[in-house]
């Protein structure tokens, strides 16, 4: 079974790998032999690629805004020109708007959240699927959230966006199942990353956000990486259209 997590010769495209979940997943794919193409609006994506190369792997970074169609298309083209194709994609870039009850959310924050978290995933899927359909194979994983399975308080734009990511995942899986392409999503609970570090650093907020966590802690980015590699691997060939909670049983009650 261990050999099935060997991605040697496979190319994976990851968005949002400058920090957090994307970075941990990029490093894990690199450790398991994959060629890793990183797209991020944050130049620290270059450091992730450098860390993979320093460990003996292959990786390139291209500055990418996931809301920009040309830049998303160009990232797929980079995978093809650098490594000869694209086998796996992890559409992970995302942002969390300020928390507030719905009437206090700004129109700008709502639009920006949908643009990055939903349009960003749509554009990734659009160009990745076009390439994978020609190849007749591929595996795509999108980052949704437990906020894509049920509502969290004071996060209306994010809840709407992550439900849309779950919907896009199911729709894409149906459209491409017969062509040998799998599309799944992950739905993390609270993960320790730059997105949530300020909550975890403040004892009062930490207690509140962990109150409904049966495991009593945040999930680590490396634990999310394990699920992404599992879904990308050839051991899960019948899994498509699924949205996987990875939340330490937070949504089971
Ligand atoms: N941290 C959590 O608790 C949690 C829980 C569930 C889901 N998520 C989701 O996981 C994903 C990764 O988040 P994270 O926790 O690692 O936080 P993070 O802030 O460390 O990572 C987000 C990444 O997305 C990139 N990004 C943001 N806007 C972009 C854009 N327009 N174009 C390209 N890249 C852009 C950032 O630069 C960063 O590298 C996000 O989709 C987030 O919504 C996080």
């Amino acid at each position: 079974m261990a050999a099935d997590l060997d991605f040697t010769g496979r190319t994976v495209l990851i968005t949002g790998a400058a920090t957090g979940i994307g970075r941990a997943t990029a490093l894990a794919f690199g450790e398991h032999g994959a060629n890793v193409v990183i797209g991020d609006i944050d130049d620290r994506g270059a450091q992730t690629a450098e860390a993979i190369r320093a460990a003996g792997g292959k990786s390139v970074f291209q500055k990418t805004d996931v809301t920009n169609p040309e830049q998303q298309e160009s990232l797929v083209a980079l995978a093809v020109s650098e490594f000869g194709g694209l086998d796996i994609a992890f559409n992970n870039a995302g942002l969390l708007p300020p928390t507030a009850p719905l009437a206090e959310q700004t129109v700008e924050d709502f639009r920006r959240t949908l643009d990055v978290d939903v349009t960003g995933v749509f554009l990734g899927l659009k160009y990745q699927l076009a390439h994978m359909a020609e190849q007749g194979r591929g595996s795509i994983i999108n980052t949704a959230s437990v906020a894509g399975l049920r509502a969290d308080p004071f996060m209306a734009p994010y809840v709407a966006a992550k439900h849309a990511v779950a919907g896009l995942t199911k729709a894409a899986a149906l459209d491409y199942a017969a062509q040998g392409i799998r599309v799944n999503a992950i739905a993390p609970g609270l993960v320790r990353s730059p997105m949530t570090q300020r909550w975890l650093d403040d004892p009062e907020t930490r207690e509140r956000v962990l109150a409904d966590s049966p495991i009593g802690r945040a999930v680590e980015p490396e634990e999310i990486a394990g699920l992404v590699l599992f879904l990308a691997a050839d051991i899960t060939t019948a899994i498509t259209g699924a949205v996987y909670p990875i939340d330490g049983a937070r949504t089971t009650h």
Side-chain angles (χ1 to χ4, degrees):
M1 208 41 110
D4 291 329
L5 282 181
D6 178 3
F7 291 95
T8 303
R10 304 281 183 91
T11 300
V12 56
L13 180 163
I14 306 183
T15 64
T19 55
I21 293 169
R23 178 179 161 86
T25 306
L27 295 177
F29 269 115
E31 275 168 27
H32 286 81
N35 310 317
V36 186
V37 176
I38 295 170
D40 201 299
I41 202 165
D42 183 334
D43 285 325
R44 285 178 295 173
Q47 293 171 15
T48 306
E50 178 51 39
I52 291 170
R53 290 194 298 269
K58 291 183 187 155
S59 184
V60 288
F61 165 71
Q62 183 160 286
K63 189 159 181 158
T64 306
D65 181 344
V66 293
T67 67
N68 182 309
E70 290 79 26
Q71 292 181 20
Q72 286 262 29
E73 190 172 19
S74 163
L75 200 58
V76 173
L78 180 67
V80 176
S81 64
E82 280 287 322
F83 300 120
L86 178 65
D87 304 290
I88 300 154
F90 181 34
N91 294 306
N92 168 73
L95 59 79
L96 180 69
T99 47
L102 193 148
E104 291 167 32
Q105 293 280 351
T106 68
V107 174
E108 291 71 26
D109 281 338
F110 184 78
R111 289 198 169 129
R112 179 73 188 146
T113 305
L114 263 69
D115 205 18
V116 175
D117 293 6
V118 184
T119 308
V121 172
F122 168 77
L123 291 172
L125 286 168
K126 178 174 167 60
Y127 298 110
Q128 295 150 11
L129 285 166
H131 176 79
M132 288 176 179
E134 276 176 28
Q135 263 179 188
R137 67 187 156 77
S139 177
I140 301 178
I141 300 102
N142 300 321
T143 302
S145 165
V146 292
L149 302 172
R150 53 111 178 93
D152 273 324
F154 308 136
M155 288 190 183
Y158 191 74
V159 169
K162 293 301 187 179
H163 274 72
V165 172
L168 275 173
T169 301
K170 293 174 195 175
L174 270 188
D175 288 356
Y176 289 87
Q179 296 179 57
I181 302 166
R182 299 186 295 116
V183 187
N184 293 290
I186 57 166
L190 183 70
V191 181
R192 179 192 307 282
S193 78
M195 191 177 274
T196 56
Q197 197 60 50
R198 67 186 187 283
W199 297 344
L200 296 169
D201 287 345
D202 174 54
E204 224 174 83
T205 315
R206 181 190 161 84
E207 202 184 320
R208 184 173 56 74
V209 295
L210 290 177
D212 66 347
S213 168
I215 59 171
R217 64 172 176 85
V219 177
E220 296 298 327
E222 292 73 18
E223 295 178 284
I224 306 290
L227 176 59
V228 179
L229 266 67
F230 171 74
L231 288 172
D234 287 342
I235 44 178
T236 51
T237 40
I239 300 179
T240 190
V243 182
Y244 269 79
I246 172 160
D247 65 352
R250 201 168 151 217
T251 47
T252 57
H253 63 98

